[in-house]
């Protein structure tokens, strides 16, 4: 049994029961964030709301068209 503390709400987490509480930074293998399940769910919901408000990421075709326009100096 290993008890850790959520970095957002200071809730105690048994890492044996909640193995997903350790979130690795994909850009730095030494950087790990500890979040409880409710905080992870809230973060996921916020990310989904941001995507809905922003209209999501541009499609690959939209990215290619934008790159082509930049390369050839075409203004839209």
């Amino acid at each position: 049994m290993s008890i850790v503390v959520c970095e957002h709400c200071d809730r105690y987490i048994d890492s044996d029961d909640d193995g997903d509480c350790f979130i690795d930074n994909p850009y730095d293998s030494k950087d790990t964030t500890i979040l409880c399940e409710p905080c992870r769910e809230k973060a996921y919901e916020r990310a989904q709301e941001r995507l809905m408000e922003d209209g999501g990421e541009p499609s690959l075709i939209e990215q290619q068209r934008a790159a082509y326009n930049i390369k050839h100096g075409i203004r839209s």
Side-chain angles (χ1 to χ4, degrees), residues 4-14 18 20-23 33-44:
V4 293
V5 178
C6 177
E7 294 180 10
H8 284 205
C9 69
D10 296 329
R11 180 178 294 161
Y12 291 105
I13 308 165
D14 183 354
D18 187 3
D20 294 332
C21 66
F22 299 106
I23 302 169
T33 303
I34 300 172
L35 294 177
C36 64
E37 187 172 0
C39 288
R40 289 194 311 267
E41 289 176 1
K42 288 177 188 175
Y44 176 77

